[in-house]
Amino acid sequence: MKITKIKGYYIQLPLKEPFVINYATYDSMHSVIVEIHTDTGLVGYGEGVADEHVTGDSAPGVYANLEMIAPSLIGLNPLNIEYIHKKLDQMILGNPALKACIDIALYDILGKHAQLPVYQLLGGQTVERLDYAKVLSVKVFEETRKDIDALLADGYKVIKVKLGGNINDDVKKLKQILDYIKDTDAEVRVDCNQAWSNPKAIIQALSTINDPKLKWIEQPLKAHDIEGMKYLYERMQVSLMADEMIKDVKDLASLKLPHFDLLNVKLMKCGGIHNAVKIIRFAEALGIECQIGSMVESSIGSAAGYHTAMALDNVKTTELTGPLLFSQDIGNLTYEIPYVYLSEEPGLGINVDKDILKALTDKQFEV
């Protein structure tokens, strides 16, 4: 089998409402879609969603670099995924969202060639079904309370709250949220997106909270502040999750002793399914449970994450809800709150709506 043609699309996925985190507000998500054709007639789809604060690359960069390297992939066997990753690493440093985009399309082709869903190729089914959290962007408590009412009415059980300001104000809001849900069966996760800065102040502020409904605090400090994370890990009563500080398996392997309880793995951050499997397996050997997280991808990227989560027992939670946030999506991943259901069709099992793809495309190329 050989790659005969590659199409790239730069698209904007419209959000139902703005998504706010501590360093940005998004009205739409910029995504790059790749379509890889083969001489057997099989076509694979992949997606790259970048964020300079997390992946180190940007959506325009992913598109430009995909167009640049695409000619070098023509003629290669798409089933040789390890080889193609090696070639990509030789051609361009970093750029994990770009590599994830290509990687996901290769696995889609592999699954279609084998006539199996991707998760069956990665190890098979480890759980009956996958659930996910509802992510709430940064808002004042009064607005967050309304969101909580709506999500509980919809049937969500897990609330992920984005914080990212003054530590004392954030903890005050967190206490209000925990008090508001105390008589429900919901639980709370917190994601700070690197917004806090003083480990001692964090410990002091969090010491006033002792609530079993608070499951973890995710990446409160800057990605490079390894000593700060160690300080928190040794003193926090609640579990500590790493995200931006661990991009790939090399980052994890470089730590003599990881100073966190949990790890958020994102395909866009590590370079796709192939590299996600490596880091999840390594984390398992260290006794660190993993989550598959999201960069707010469409059904294509989200399905790739869910296939990985389905197959690997060390993935205990998922947060891939991009398709639920969009007013238009290019795929058909099936969500029934609070669960997602993967298709048993070969590959990713995603049918791409060509009309919507065309409508959302800002620019495209073909080689």
Side-chain angles (χ1 to χ4, degrees), residues 5 17 32 83 91 114 118 147 151 214 224 281 299 353:
K5 182 169 63 177
E17 63 176 64
V32 176
Y83 173 79
M91 285 192 290
V118 168
D147 288 341
L151 68 89
L214 177 58
H224 60 77
R281 296 291 193 204
S299 282
D353 189 315

Side-chain angles (χ1 to χ4, degrees), residues 238-252:
V238 64
S239 293
L240 179 64
M241 175 179 279
D243 183 359
E244 288 90 343
M245 70 177 291
I246 304 295
K247 299 182 294 297
D248 53 33
V249 71
K250 292 181 180 178
D251 282 348
L252 185 56

Side-chain angles (χ1 to χ4, degrees), residues 136-325:
L136 300 182
S137 58
V138 175
K139 297 180 180 179
V140 297
F141 174 69
E142 289 72 20
E143 294 179 7
T144 299
R145 183 174 57 192
K146 295 176 183 178
D147 288 341
I148 292 173
D149 289 339
L151 68 89
L152 292 177
D154 285 340
Y156 284 99
K157 302 297 183 184
V158 183
I159 307 167
K160 180 173 181 176
V161 180
K162 293 283 189 177
L163 298 178
N166 176 277
I167 176 65
N168 292 317
D169 291 340
D170 280 346
V171 169
K172 178 182 177 181
K173 178 184 175 182
L174 178 56
K175 287 180 178 178
Q176 290 174 308
I177 293 170
L178 290 167
D179 182 65
Y180 192 67
I181 66 162
K182 64 182 180 181
D183 294 325
T184 73
D185 58 356
E187 63 183 50
V188 174
R189 305 168 185 172
V190 168
D191 186 5
C192 303
N193 291 110
Q194 309 180 67
W196 296 344
S197 59
N198 187 325
K200 291 184 179 179
I202 293 171
I203 293 298
Q204 184 175 4
L206 290 178
S207 67
T208 62
I209 297 178
N210 183 18
D211 193 321
K213 286 183 175 291
L214 177 58
K215 296 304 177 181
W216 64 68
I217 305 288
E218 180 179 344
Q219 197 64 54
L221 299 173
K222 296 295 184 184
H224 60 77
D225 192 356
I226 295 174
E227 286 302 312
M229 289 288 279
K230 177 182 177 181
Y231 182 92
L232 296 181
Y233 175 74
E234 292 173 347
R235 293 166 176 81
M236 276 175 51
Q237 296 181 4
V238 64
S239 293
L240 179 64
M241 175 179 279
D243 183 359
E244 288 90 343
M245 70 177 291
I246 304 295
K247 299 182 294 297
D248 53 33
V249 71
K250 292 181 180 178
D251 282 348
L252 185 56
S254 69
L255 299 179
K256 293 181 179 179
L257 183 65
H259 302 300
F260 44 85
D261 304 282
L262 306 160
L263 176 60
N264 194 9
V265 177
K266 296 175 179 174
L267 271 58
M268 301 299 138
K269 185 175 62 171
C270 68
I273 295 171
H274 182 72
N275 289 334
V277 171
K278 290 182 180 179
I279 192 170
I280 292 164
R281 296 291 193 204
F282 197 102
E284 184 175 27
L286 296 173
I288 298 171
E289 294 182 348
C290 293
Q291 170 176 277
I292 296 288
S294 171
M295 296 299 296
V296 195
E297 301 97 339
S298 76
S299 282
I300 295 174
S302 299
Y306 280 123
H307 276 279
T308 308
M310 177 68 82
L312 298 180
D313 187 59
N314 193 40
V315 178
K316 304 301 182 181
T317 57
T318 62
E319 292 177 356
L320 297 135
T321 57
L324 294 174
L325 305 178

Side-chain angles (χ1 to χ4, degrees), residues 13 15 23 28 44 58 66 116 119 165 171 230 264 284 330 336 346 362:
L13 293 152
L15 289 161
Y23 57 79
S28 64
S58 66
L66 178 62
L116 289 170
Y119 74 82
V171 169
K230 177 182 177 181
N264 194 9
E284 184 175 27
I330 59 174
E336 293 180 6
D362 287 346

